[in-house]
Amino acid sequence: MSPEAAATLKRLKSDFEFYAPRVLKIRDKTGAIVPLRMNRAQQFLHKEVERQRAETGKVRILGLKGRQQGFSTYVEARLYHHVSMTFGQRAYILTHLAEATANLFGMTRRFYELSPDALRPSTKQLSSTAIAFDALQSEFSVATAGSKGTGRSATAQYFHGSEVAYFENAIEHMAGIGQIIPNLPGTEIFLESTANGTGNLFHGMVEDALRGRGDYRVIFVPWFWQDEYETEPPPDWKPSGEDLDYGQPYGLSRGQLYWRQQKVLSDFRSDADYFAQEYPESIASAFRRVAGDTFIPISAVMKARKTLTVDGKGPLILGVDPAEYGADDTVIIGRRGRDASSIYQRHHGRGPMEVVGIVGKLADRVMPDSINVDATGIGSGIADRLKELGYPVQRVGFGERAINDALYPKRGDEMWSEMTTCLLDTPNKIPDDDQLHTELTMRQYRYDSSRRTLLESKEAMKLRGLGSPDGGDALALTFAIPVRSRAKLPTLPRYRNPDN
């Protein structure tokens, strides 16, 4: 073998981006057989996967996706690359339906059958569910989720779970992955799915990953990254105000808005939430279909996330929603007028005095005019200790009677309503954060017999498989009490002597 050929072979083994268009063939959406050239979504996915592998030595990915964006194609191609170019490797794929199993394995067989002769390993098995390479001692196999024991006897280095949100016996299957894939460097697990409402295992894993818990990272790709999801509208077509509000945060073109409008009308029978599940524009929208009437519109939150500049005037208010050692997070958000983007901290598993130290250190640096603390439960001691140390603390109880009890039964309902009114009165700026976005937009509401606004309780949210809206509560706390600017007040002892 010449030095040039040896160098090319080495690169084919190590560089998937170089390998894919030269070796692999796919059937595109027109039915033509073409080289695998990664689209925008696949390029983004590949970049994030390689970044995680470089940082951690392994890959653990949750792919939240829309329809036909190429996620499964990328994963199948990547795993085939590993198995067909490396000795002693095994990839295992589990799908939600037998038809999907057949489709994915058909793709893999096409990779094998249409690859160049020099890069097509000899096989000892080529069936409807497996390819085994004899000289390489490697294997690629597929199965359908159904039986609780499916795959438990297997051992592999690579795993792809396709449409995990639709798995039967999902918890049992996921528990079995630990037996299939060792927690070792070089191993890769991809769990991908379109959303299937809330409360299932996939939704819970996405929420945990967004909170920074565990090894998995969420990769999300919006529908409008696909070039083909655009249609030239008729000359006299005018988007509605709702269409414009939807498209403005993402900079959608007329053609994209028209494509979406026609898709909603034809394929989804005017059900925009169903469209959002199958073709999400954000992580929060993917899970909203079963959320009923959410209190804060997703569009308002997205606008606030994407606002570049806003005039933040007035007192600086910190909202502190404390937690301890359970599933919830301690979240701190600072807001000055319409700008709540500069101070945003999230901590997990911190004791009360640790939270006091975190808040105190932050306050010494930014000198807020008010620190509004949820004084329910452990927050009571945190608020008392901060006040004892000389900080400008306001104790707030979400369950207390509302100030305007003709409109709201509790302070929590009132604060969230004040926050929503502000977000709807654009422009506003909040942290560009997926977890905060989800916590702000998943909560339902109703009216009581006196037509007062009642927010969904946290207990009811948990029954729907949702976590506590910690970030939403922290931001709402900044609307709890009217606050005068410190410039108009006597200097607090704490700020005169910050080293106290």
Side-chain angles (χ1 to χ4, degrees), residues 191-223:
L191 307 176
E192 49 88 359
S193 190
T194 48
N196 185 26
T198 60
N200 53 59
L201 179 136
F202 182 73
H203 171 251
M205 292 184 73
V206 169
E207 282 219 322
D208 285 345
L210 290 175
R211 291 171 182 262
R213 299 173 188 171
D215 293 336
Y216 284 90
R217 295 184 185 178
V218 178
I219 293 181
F220 170 75
V221 176
W223 67 263

PDB file of all heavy atoms in Angstrom, residues 191-223:
ATOM      1  N   LEU A 191     -30.083   8.164  22.509  1.00  0.00           N
ATOM      2  CA  LEU A 191     -31.516   7.973  22.730  1.00  0.00           C
ATOM      3  C   LEU A 191     -32.227   9.126  22.048  1.00  0.00           C
ATOM      4  O   LEU A 191     -32.078  10.270  22.457  1.00  0.00           O
ATOM      5  CB  LEU A 191     -31.838   7.960  24.226  1.00  0.00           C
ATOM      6  CG  LEU A 191     -31.036   6.972  25.078  1.00  0.00           C
ATOM      7  CD1 LEU A 191     -31.401   7.134  26.551  1.00  0.00           C
ATOM      8  CD2 LEU A 191     -31.262   5.543  24.623  1.00  0.00           C
ATOM      9  N   GLU A 192     -32.952   8.846  20.978  1.00  0.00           N
ATOM     10  CA  GLU A 192     -33.590   9.929  20.227  1.00  0.00           C
ATOM     11  C   GLU A 192     -35.073   9.667  20.082  1.00  0.00           C
ATOM     12  O   GLU A 192     -35.523   8.520  20.092  1.00  0.00           O
ATOM     13  CB  GLU A 192     -32.940  10.104  18.855  1.00  0.00           C
ATOM     14  CG  GLU A 192     -32.772   8.846  18.045  1.00  0.00           C
ATOM     15  CD  GLU A 192     -33.955   8.495  17.183  1.00  0.00           C
ATOM     16  OE1 GLU A 192     -34.958   9.243  17.210  1.00  0.00           O
ATOM     17  OE2 GLU A 192     -33.884   7.472  16.492  1.00  0.00           O
ATOM     18  N   SER A 193     -35.827  10.775  19.939  1.00  0.00           N
ATOM     19  CA  SER A 193     -37.275  10.623  19.806  1.00  0.00           C
ATOM     20  C   SER A 193     -37.908  11.966  19.464  1.00  0.00           C
ATOM     21  O   SER A 193     -37.381  13.023  19.816  1.00  0.00           O
ATOM     22  CB  SER A 193     -37.878  10.109  21.121  1.00  0.00           C
ATOM     23  OG  SER A 193     -39.227   9.737  20.948  1.00  0.00           O
ATOM     24  N   THR A 194     -39.030  11.896  18.771  1.00  0.00           N
ATOM     25  CA  THR A 194     -39.947  13.017  18.810  1.00  0.00           C
ATOM     26  C   THR A 194     -40.665  12.939  20.152  1.00  0.00           C
ATOM     27  O   THR A 194     -40.693  11.892  20.800  1.00  0.00           O
ATOM     28  CB  THR A 194     -40.973  12.934  17.662  1.00  0.00           C
ATOM     29  OG1 THR A 194     -41.529  11.620  17.624  1.00  0.00           O
ATOM     30  CG2 THR A 194     -40.325  13.231  16.328  1.00  0.00           C
ATOM     31  N   ALA A 195     -41.215  14.045  20.590  1.00  0.00           N
ATOM     32  CA  ALA A 195     -41.882  14.069  21.891  1.00  0.00           C
ATOM     33  C   ALA A 195     -43.176  13.252  21.850  1.00  0.00           C
ATOM     34  O   ALA A 195     -43.779  13.061  20.797  1.00  0.00           O
ATOM     35  CB  ALA A 195     -42.180  15.499  22.306  1.00  0.00           C
ATOM     36  N   ASN A 196     -43.579  12.782  23.013  1.00  0.00           N
ATOM     37  CA  ASN A 196     -44.827  12.049  23.150  1.00  0.00           C
ATOM     38  C   ASN A 196     -45.502  12.474  24.446  1.00  0.00           C
ATOM     39  O   ASN A 196     -45.809  11.665  25.310  1.00  0.00           O
ATOM     40  CB  ASN A 196     -44.569  10.543  23.136  1.00  0.00           C
ATOM     41  CG  ASN A 196     -45.849   9.725  23.156  1.00  0.00           C
ATOM     42  OD1 ASN A 196     -46.906  10.181  22.715  1.00  0.00           O
ATOM     43  ND2 ASN A 196     -45.775   8.510  23.673  1.00  0.00           N
ATOM     44  N   GLY A 197     -45.691  13.782  24.581  1.00  0.00           N
ATOM     45  CA  GLY A 197     -46.298  14.292  25.802  1.00  0.00           C
ATOM     46  C   GLY A 197     -45.316  14.295  26.960  1.00  0.00           C
ATOM     47  O   GLY A 197     -44.107  14.112  26.804  1.00  0.00           O
ATOM     48  N   THR A 198     -45.850  14.505  28.140  1.00  0.00           N
ATOM     49  CA  THR A 198     -45.036  14.585  29.353  1.00  0.00           C
ATOM     50  C   THR A 198     -45.305  13.381  30.242  1.00  0.00           C
ATOM     51  O   THR A 198     -46.269  12.659  30.072  1.00  0.00           O
ATOM     52  CB  THR A 198     -45.359  15.865  30.137  1.00  0.00           C
ATOM     53  OG1 THR A 198     -46.759  15.853  30.491  1.00  0.00           O
ATOM     54  CG2 THR A 198     -45.067  17.104  29.307  1.00  0.00           C
ATOM     55  N   GLY A 199     -44.411  13.169  31.197  1.00  0.00           N
ATOM     56  CA  GLY A 199     -44.616  12.117  32.179  1.00  0.00           C
ATOM     57  C   GLY A 199     -44.002  10.790  31.803  1.00  0.00           C
ATOM     58  O   GLY A 199     -43.961   9.885  32.637  1.00  0.00           O
ATOM     59  N   ASN A 200     -43.508  10.633  30.573  1.00  0.00           N
ATOM     60  CA  ASN A 200     -42.867   9.370  30.210  1.00  0.00           C
ATOM     61  C   ASN A 200     -41.367   9.447  30.498  1.00  0.00           C
ATOM     62  O   ASN A 200     -40.829  10.500  30.850  1.00  0.00           O
ATOM     63  CB  ASN A 200     -43.123   9.035  28.731  1.00  0.00           C
ATOM     64  CG  ASN A 200     -42.737  10.168  27.794  1.00  0.00           C
ATOM     65  OD1 ASN A 200     -41.588  10.598  27.771  1.00  0.00           O
ATOM     66  ND2 ASN A 200     -43.694  10.675  27.031  1.00  0.00           N
ATOM     67  N   LEU A 201     -40.692   8.321  30.331  1.00  0.00           N
ATOM     68  CA  LEU A 201     -39.283   8.250  30.700  1.00  0.00           C
ATOM     69  C   LEU A 201     -38.428   9.209  29.887  1.00  0.00           C
ATOM     70  O   LEU A 201     -37.544   9.874  30.423  1.00  0.00           O
ATOM     71  CB  LEU A 201     -38.782   6.817  30.539  1.00  0.00           C
ATOM     72  CG  LEU A 201     -37.311   6.588  30.879  1.00  0.00           C
ATOM     73  CD1 LEU A 201     -37.129   5.333  31.701  1.00  0.00           C
ATOM     74  CD2 LEU A 201     -36.470   6.491  29.603  1.00  0.00           C
ATOM     75  N   PHE A 202     -38.687   9.315  28.599  1.00  0.00           N
ATOM     76  CA  PHE A 202     -37.879  10.185  27.755  1.00  0.00           C
ATOM     77  C   PHE A 202     -38.012  11.641  28.193  1.00  0.00           C
ATOM     78  O   PHE A 202     -37.007  12.354  28.317  1.00  0.00           O
ATOM     79  CB  PHE A 202     -38.291  10.029  26.290  1.00  0.00           C
ATOM     80  CG  PHE A 202     -37.477  10.863  25.339  1.00  0.00           C
ATOM     81  CD1 PHE A 202     -36.172  10.526  25.038  1.00  0.00           C
ATOM     82  CD2 PHE A 202     -38.023  11.994  24.740  1.00  0.00           C
ATOM     83  CE1 PHE A 202     -35.411  11.294  24.161  1.00  0.00           C
ATOM     84  CE2 PHE A 202     -37.283  12.767  23.859  1.00  0.00           C
ATOM     85  CZ  PHE A 202     -35.973  12.411  23.568  1.00  0.00           C
ATOM     86  N   HIS A 203     -39.245  12.081  28.446  1.00  0.00           N
ATOM     87  CA  HIS A 203     -39.442  13.453  28.911  1.00  0.00           C
ATOM     88  C   HIS A 203     -38.707  13.699  30.217  1.00  0.00           C
ATOM     89  O   HIS A 203     -38.054  14.737  30.403  1.00  0.00           O
ATOM     90  CB  HIS A 203     -40.938  13.736  29.086  1.00  0.00           C
ATOM     91  CG  HIS A 203     -41.225  15.037  29.751  1.00  0.00           C
ATOM     92  ND1 HIS A 203     -41.721  15.115  31.042  1.00  0.00           N
ATOM     93  CD2 HIS A 203     -41.062  16.312  29.350  1.00  0.00           C
ATOM     94  CE1 HIS A 203     -41.865  16.379  31.388  1.00  0.00           C
ATOM     95  NE2 HIS A 203     -41.474  17.121  30.390  1.00  0.00           N
ATOM     96  N   GLY A 204     -38.783  12.744  31.140  1.00  0.00           N
ATOM     97  CA  GLY A 204     -38.082  12.891  32.411  1.00  0.00           C
ATOM     98  C   GLY A 204     -36.577  12.962  32.245  1.00  0.00           C
ATOM     99  O   GLY A 204     -35.898  13.743  32.929  1.00  0.00           O
ATOM    100  N   MET A 205     -36.030  12.172  31.319  1.00  0.00           N
ATOM    101  CA  MET A 205     -34.589  12.211  31.075  1.00  0.00           C
ATOM    102  C   MET A 205     -34.165  13.546  30.481  1.00  0.00           C
ATOM    103  O   MET A 205     -33.096  14.070  30.813  1.00  0.00           O
ATOM    104  CB  MET A 205     -34.186  11.051  30.164  1.00  0.00           C
ATOM    105  CG  MET A 205     -34.323   9.688  30.795  1.00  0.00           C
ATOM    106  SD  MET A 205     -33.724   8.353  29.723  1.00  0.00           S
ATOM    107  CE  MET A 205     -31.941   8.618  29.832  1.00  0.00           C
ATOM    108  N   VAL A 206     -35.000  14.110  29.595  1.00  0.00           N
ATOM    109  CA  VAL A 206     -34.692  15.420  29.021  1.00  0.00           C
ATOM    110  C   VAL A 206     -34.684  16.475  30.124  1.00  0.00           C
ATOM    111  O   VAL A 206     -33.776  17.317  30.193  1.00  0.00           O
ATOM    112  CB  VAL A 206     -35.697  15.785  27.910  1.00  0.00           C
ATOM    113  CG1 VAL A 206     -35.555  17.249  27.508  1.00  0.00           C
ATOM    114  CG2 VAL A 206     -35.497  14.888  26.691  1.00  0.00           C
ATOM    115  N   GLU A 207     -35.697  16.445  31.004  1.00  0.00           N
ATOM    116  CA  GLU A 207     -35.734  17.423  32.099  1.00  0.00           C
ATOM    117  C   GLU A 207     -34.506  17.291  32.995  1.00  0.00           C
ATOM    118  O   GLU A 207     -33.900  18.287  33.389  1.00  0.00           O
ATOM    119  CB  GLU A 207     -37.010  17.225  32.918  1.00  0.00           C
ATOM    120  CG  GLU A 207     -38.258  17.802  32.288  1.00  0.00           C
ATOM    121  CD  GLU A 207     -39.161  18.436  33.328  1.00  0.00           C
ATOM    122  OE1 GLU A 207     -39.271  17.873  34.434  1.00  0.00           O
ATOM    123  OE2 GLU A 207     -39.741  19.494  33.039  1.00  0.00           O
ATOM    124  N   ASP A 208     -34.119  16.058  33.328  1.00  0.00           N
ATOM    125  CA  ASP A 208     -32.937  15.859  34.175  1.00  0.00           C
ATOM    126  C   ASP A 208     -31.683  16.393  33.492  1.00  0.00           C
ATOM    127  O   ASP A 208     -30.841  17.045  34.125  1.00  0.00           O
ATOM    128  CB  ASP A 208     -32.762  14.373  34.494  1.00  0.00           C
ATOM    129  CG  ASP A 208     -33.758  13.875  35.527  1.00  0.00           C
ATOM    130  OD1 ASP A 208     -34.396  14.709  36.197  1.00  0.00           O
ATOM    131  OD2 ASP A 208     -33.918  12.645  35.648  1.00  0.00           O
ATOM    132  N   ALA A 209     -31.546  16.109  32.205  1.00  0.00           N
ATOM    133  CA  ALA A 209     -30.355  16.563  31.479  1.00  0.00           C
ATOM    134  C   ALA A 209     -30.291  18.082  31.411  1.00  0.00           C
ATOM    135  O   ALA A 209     -29.215  18.680  31.549  1.00  0.00           O
ATOM    136  CB  ALA A 209     -30.332  15.962  30.078  1.00  0.00           C
ATOM    137  N   LEU A 210     -31.441  18.730  31.214  1.00  0.00           N
ATOM    138  CA  LEU A 210     -31.455  20.191  31.179  1.00  0.00           C
ATOM    139  C   LEU A 210     -31.072  20.780  32.529  1.00  0.00           C
ATOM    140  O   LEU A 210     -30.528  21.889  32.605  1.00  0.00           O
ATOM    141  CB  LEU A 210     -32.839  20.690  30.758  1.00  0.00           C
ATOM    142  CG  LEU A 210     -33.240  20.448  29.300  1.00  0.00           C
ATOM    143  CD1 LEU A 210     -34.674  20.890  29.065  1.00  0.00           C
ATOM    144  CD2 LEU A 210     -32.297  21.169  28.348  1.00  0.00           C
ATOM    145  N   ARG A 211     -31.345  20.060  33.588  1.00  0.00           N
ATOM    146  CA  ARG A 211     -30.958  20.509  34.924  1.00  0.00           C
ATOM    147  C   ARG A 211     -29.505  20.159  35.242  1.00  0.00           C
ATOM    148  O   ARG A 211     -29.018  20.441  36.327  1.00  0.00           O
ATOM    149  CB  ARG A 211     -31.877  19.880  35.981  1.00  0.00           C
ATOM    150  CG  ARG A 211     -33.312  20.381  35.948  1.00  0.00           C
ATOM    151  CD  ARG A 211     -34.199  19.552  36.887  1.00  0.00           C
ATOM    152  NE  ARG A 211     -35.583  19.993  36.843  1.00  0.00           N
ATOM    153  CZ  ARG A 211     -36.150  20.807  37.710  1.00  0.00           C
ATOM    154  NH1 ARG A 211     -35.420  21.288  38.707  1.00  0.00           N
ATOM    155  NH2 ARG A 211     -37.395  21.161  37.615  1.00  0.00           N
ATOM    156  N   GLY A 212     -28.820  19.501  34.314  1.00  0.00           N
ATOM    157  CA  GLY A 212     -27.422  19.151  34.527  1.00  0.00           C
ATOM    158  C   GLY A 212     -27.208  17.916  35.353  1.00  0.00           C
ATOM    159  O   GLY A 212     -26.131  17.725  35.932  1.00  0.00           O
ATOM    160  N   ARG A 213     -28.194  17.033  35.402  1.00  0.00           N
ATOM    161  CA  ARG A 213     -28.100  15.827  36.218  1.00  0.00           C
ATOM    162  C   ARG A 213     -27.791  14.624  35.340  1.00  0.00           C
ATOM    163  O   ARG A 213     -28.472  14.358  34.365  1.00  0.00           O
ATOM    164  CB  ARG A 213     -29.406  15.596  36.973  1.00  0.00           C
ATOM    165  CG  ARG A 213     -29.737  16.744  37.910  1.00  0.00           C
ATOM    166  CD  ARG A 213     -31.103  16.594  38.531  1.00  0.00           C
ATOM    167  NE  ARG A 213     -31.465  17.806  39.276  1.00  0.00           N
ATOM    168  CZ  ARG A 213     -32.658  18.037  39.780  1.00  0.00           C
ATOM    169  NH1 ARG A 213     -33.636  17.157  39.610  1.00  0.00           N
ATOM    170  NH2 ARG A 213     -32.899  19.160  40.429  1.00  0.00           N
ATOM    171  N   GLY A 214     -26.766  13.896  35.695  1.00  0.00           N
ATOM    172  CA  GLY A 214     -26.411  12.697  34.967  1.00  0.00           C
ATOM    173  C   GLY A 214     -25.474  12.972  33.796  1.00  0.00           C
ATOM    174  O   GLY A 214     -24.988  14.083  33.585  1.00  0.00           O
ATOM    175  N   ASP A 215     -25.229  11.923  33.020  1.00  0.00           N
ATOM    176  CA  ASP A 215     -24.250  11.983  31.942  1.00  0.00           C
ATOM    177  C   ASP A 215     -24.827  12.467  30.622  1.00  0.00           C
ATOM    178  O   ASP A 215     -24.071  12.835  29.717  1.00  0.00           O
ATOM    179  CB  ASP A 215     -23.647  10.595  31.705  1.00  0.00           C
ATOM    180  CG  ASP A 215     -22.794  10.125  32.871  1.00  0.00           C
ATOM    181  OD1 ASP A 215     -22.291  10.992  33.623  1.00  0.00           O
ATOM    182  OD2 ASP A 215     -22.623   8.901  33.035  1.00  0.00           O
ATOM    183  N   TYR A 216     -26.149  12.453  30.479  1.00  0.00           N
ATOM    184  CA  TYR A 216     -26.745  12.726  29.167  1.00  0.00           C
ATOM    185  C   TYR A 216     -26.802  14.226  28.876  1.00  0.00           C
ATOM    186  O   TYR A 216     -26.990  15.051  29.775  1.00  0.00           O
ATOM    187  CB  TYR A 216     -28.151  12.136  29.092  1.00  0.00           C
ATOM    188  CG  TYR A 216     -28.149  10.640  28.903  1.00  0.00           C
ATOM    189  CD1 TYR A 216     -28.152   9.785  29.997  1.00  0.00           C
ATOM    190  CD2 TYR A 216     -28.119  10.088  27.626  1.00  0.00           C
ATOM    191  CE1 TYR A 216     -28.132   8.405  29.829  1.00  0.00           C
ATOM    192  CE2 TYR A 216     -28.102   8.710  27.448  1.00  0.00           C
ATOM    193  CZ  TYR A 216     -28.111   7.873  28.551  1.00  0.00           C
ATOM    194  OH  TYR A 216     -28.081   6.511  28.376  1.00  0.00           O
ATOM    195  N   ARG A 217     -26.647  14.549  27.598  1.00  0.00           N
ATOM    196  CA  ARG A 217     -26.814  15.908  27.117  1.00  0.00           C
ATOM    197  C   ARG A 217     -27.934  15.930  26.084  1.00  0.00           C
ATOM    198  O   ARG A 217     -28.058  15.019  25.263  1.00  0.00           O
ATOM    199  CB  ARG A 217     -25.526  16.435  26.476  1.00  0.00           C
ATOM    200  CG  ARG A 217     -24.376  16.579  27.460  1.00  0.00           C
ATOM    201  CD  ARG A 217     -23.161  17.201  26.792  1.00  0.00           C
ATOM    202  NE  ARG A 217     -22.017  17.225  27.709  1.00  0.00           N
ATOM    203  CZ  ARG A 217     -20.811  17.673  27.381  1.00  0.00           C
ATOM    204  NH1 ARG A 217     -20.603  18.143  26.147  1.00  0.00           N
ATOM    205  NH2 ARG A 217     -19.821  17.652  28.262  1.00  0.00           N
ATOM    206  N   VAL A 218     -28.725  16.984  26.129  1.00  0.00           N
ATOM    207  CA  VAL A 218     -29.825  17.145  25.172  1.00  0.00           C
ATOM    208  C   VAL A 218     -29.307  17.858  23.930  1.00  0.00           C
ATOM    209  O   VAL A 218     -28.637  18.889  24.028  1.00  0.00           O
ATOM    210  CB  VAL A 218     -30.977  17.953  25.785  1.00  0.00           C
ATOM    211  CG1 VAL A 218     -32.094  18.154  24.749  1.00  0.00           C
ATOM    212  CG2 VAL A 218     -31.533  17.246  27.018  1.00  0.00           C
ATOM    213  N   ILE A 219     -29.633  17.284  22.775  1.00  0.00           N
ATOM    214  CA  ILE A 219     -29.376  17.959  21.507  1.00  0.00           C
ATOM    215  C   ILE A 219     -30.721  18.171  20.831  1.00  0.00           C
ATOM    216  O   ILE A 219     -31.468  17.221  20.591  1.00  0.00           O
ATOM    217  CB  ILE A 219     -28.442  17.149  20.600  1.00  0.00           C
ATOM    218  CG1 ILE A 219     -27.048  17.086  21.227  1.00  0.00           C
ATOM    219  CG2 ILE A 219     -28.374  17.769  19.205  1.00  0.00           C
ATOM    220  CD1 ILE A 219     -26.036  16.330  20.409  1.00  0.00           C
ATOM    221  N   PHE A 220     -31.024  19.427  20.558  1.00  0.00           N
ATOM    222  CA  PHE A 220     -32.298  19.774  19.932  1.00  0.00           C
ATOM    223  C   PHE A 220     -32.037  20.515  18.626  1.00  0.00           C
ATOM    224  O   PHE A 220     -31.148  21.368  18.558  1.00  0.00           O
ATOM    225  CB  PHE A 220     -33.141  20.657  20.861  1.00  0.00           C
ATOM    226  CG  PHE A 220     -34.354  21.234  20.182  1.00  0.00           C
ATOM    227  CD1 PHE A 220     -35.444  20.444  19.914  1.00  0.00           C
ATOM    228  CD2 PHE A 220     -34.365  22.560  19.780  1.00  0.00           C
ATOM    229  CE1 PHE A 220     -36.557  20.965  19.261  1.00  0.00           C
ATOM    230  CE2 PHE A 220     -35.461  23.093  19.127  1.00  0.00           C
ATOM    231  CZ  PHE A 220     -36.564  22.288  18.869  1.00  0.00           C
ATOM    232  N   VAL A 221     -32.831  20.179  17.618  1.00  0.00           N
ATOM    233  CA  VAL A 221     -32.727  20.840  16.323  1.00  0.00           C
ATOM    234  C   VAL A 221     -34.126  21.307  15.922  1.00  0.00           C
ATOM    235  O   VAL A 221     -35.051  20.495  15.838  1.00  0.00           O
ATOM    236  CB  VAL A 221     -32.171  19.881  15.253  1.00  0.00           C
ATOM    237  CG1 VAL A 221     -32.155  20.562  13.889  1.00  0.00           C
ATOM    238  CG2 VAL A 221     -30.763  19.425  15.635  1.00  0.00           C
ATOM    239  N   PRO A 222     -34.340  22.600  15.679  1.00  0.00           N
ATOM    240  CA  PRO A 222     -35.665  23.091  15.298  1.00  0.00           C
ATOM    241  C   PRO A 222     -36.014  22.706  13.863  1.00  0.00           C
ATOM    242  O   PRO A 222     -35.131  22.499  13.030  1.00  0.00           O
ATOM    243  CB  PRO A 222     -35.528  24.607  15.445  1.00  0.00           C
ATOM    244  CG  PRO A 222     -34.078  24.870  15.220  1.00  0.00           C
ATOM    245  CD  PRO A 222     -33.341  23.685  15.787  1.00  0.00           C
ATOM    246  N   TRP A 223     -37.297  22.644  13.587  1.00  0.00           N
ATOM    247  CA  TRP A 223     -37.752  22.196  12.272  1.00  0.00           C
ATOM    248  C   TRP A 223     -37.266  23.110  11.146  1.00  0.00           C
ATOM    249  O   TRP A 223     -37.009  22.662  10.023  1.00  0.00           O
ATOM    250  CB  TRP A 223     -39.276  22.087  12.234  1.00  0.00           C
ATOM    251  CG  TRP A 223     -40.029  23.392  12.344  1.00  0.00           C
ATOM    252  CD1 TRP A 223     -40.574  23.933  13.474  1.00  0.00           C
ATOM    253  CD2 TRP A 223     -40.335  24.320  11.283  1.00  0.00           C
ATOM    254  NE1 TRP A 223     -41.180  25.133  13.207  1.00  0.00           N
ATOM    255  CE2 TRP A 223     -41.063  25.393  11.861  1.00  0.00           C
ATOM    256  CE3 TRP A 223     -40.077  24.367   9.917  1.00  0.00           C
ATOM    257  CZ2 TRP A 223     -41.524  26.479  11.114  1.00  0.00           C
ATOM    258  CZ3 TRP A 223     -40.530  25.446   9.168  1.00  0.00           C
ATOM    259  CH2 TRP A 223     -41.246  26.479   9.769  1.00  0.00           C
TER     260      TRP A 223
END
